[in-house]
Amino acid sequence: ETGVTQTPRHLVMGMTNKKSLKCEQHLGHNAMYWYKQSAKKPLELMFVYNFKEQTENNSVPSRFSPECPNSSHLFLHLHTLQPEDSALYLCASSPLETGRPTGELFFGEGSRLTVL
Amino acid sequence: AQKITQTQPGMFVQEKEAVTLDCTYDTSDQSYGLFWYKQPSSGEMIFLIYQGSYDEQNATEGRYSLNFQKARKSANLVISASQLGDSAMYFCAMREHWSNYQLIWGAGTKLIIKP
């Protein structure tokens, strides 16, 4: 079992659907992240949670709504998405060092999202 | 301007040869960290190696080493004795001192190892 598990691995949704991506980590980390990976573009940080508190929101459209009920689980709720939102969504976690995340991220395998 | 530049979109290397993946960076910070990650076709990003800006020696982790040239602002990844399982995308990333969470990522290099 990998340390960070993402479900579903693949998701196809219409522009009017509501769906959620789930991430679970078993590493005891306190920081969790959502990244977006589009073809031929660098990874884009979307959200960061530190001890369940959102600490970063990189100007992400409101059609993406994160939820972190505890330090082991992270969700990304999706509604009224656009075709350009099709991408691989990666969840990651990291330990803290003196209260600050280390740069070493542990990633899940991603959720491949296609918006029709 | 891009802060992390990986100039090689793709590379083919013969198995068992060494390979160098280029990464240059741009920062005005004195304190920063540089990272390399591997992404196989499964999608999972795997941390490989880390170099701190104040580290005097080049980082090494098994077959991976980081050729850190601070004056040239380059942090190339060297993989010795390449294996077929090394075929993947490789990403260079940087964290500047002021940033708690933000890693700045390069566009990646696709490495294919030929048998």
Side-chain angles (χ1 to χ4, degrees), chain A:
Chain A
E1 180 183 279
T2 59
V4 180
T5 305
Q6 288 187 244
T7 54
R9 293 294 313 280
H10 299 273
L11 178 62
V12 180
M13 58 187 289
M15 292 168 62
T16 58
N17 291 158
K18 286 186 180 182
K19 297 284 184 184
S20 296
L21 306 181
K22 179 183 176 182
C23 175
E24 187 173 353
Q25 58 100 357
H26 308 282
L27 301 168
H29 295 161
N30 288 306
M32 295 189 76
Y33 309 72
W34 279 116
Y35 276 91
K36 177 183 179 182
Q37 186 176 31
S38 305
K40 298 182 181 174
K41 291 176 69 175
L43 245 63
E44 299 172 58
L45 179 64
M46 299 176 73
F47 301 103
V48 181
Y49 279 81
N50 190 353
F51 284 104
K52 301 186 297 177
E53 299 294 323
Q54 188 181 123
T55 53
E56 293 266 334
N57 176 340
N58 270 6
S59 304
V60 180
S62 60
R63 57 186 184 268
F64 294 92
S65 174
E67 179 189 0
C68 188
N70 55 61
S71 57
S72 298
H73 294 86
L74 185 65
F75 295 89
L76 188 63
H77 303 301
L78 317 168
H79 62 98
T80 59
L81 294 192
Q82 305 298 312
E84 60 264 29
D85 296 323
S86 298
L88 181 67
Y89 289 84
L90 290 163
C91 174
S93 68
S94 68
L96 298 179
E97 191 176 75
T98 59
R100 191 164 178 253
T102 71
E104 182 180 350
L105 302 174
F106 294 76
F107 284 85
E109 292 182 314
S111 294
R112 173 73 61 188
L113 174 66
T114 302
V115 182
L116 302 176

Side-chain angles (χ1 to χ4, degrees), chain B residues 48-97:
Chain B
L48 294 179
I49 197 166
Y50 166 80
Q51 179 84 41
S53 58
Y54 290 118
D55 294 341
E56 293 188 352
Q57 294 201 330
N58 287 342
T60 60
E61 288 287 346
R63 294 187 298 113
Y64 304 108
S65 60
L66 201 151
N67 184 358
F68 182 44
Q69 299 191 39
K70 196 169 181 176
R72 295 179 59 187
K73 292 188 174 178
S74 76
N76 297 341
L77 177 71
V78 180
I79 306 174
S80 63
S82 58
Q83 302 170 357
L84 296 179
D86 293 332
S87 294
M89 285 290 294
Y90 288 81
F91 294 91
C92 179
M94 174 176 67
R95 185 174 76 173
E96 294 170 304
H97 179 70

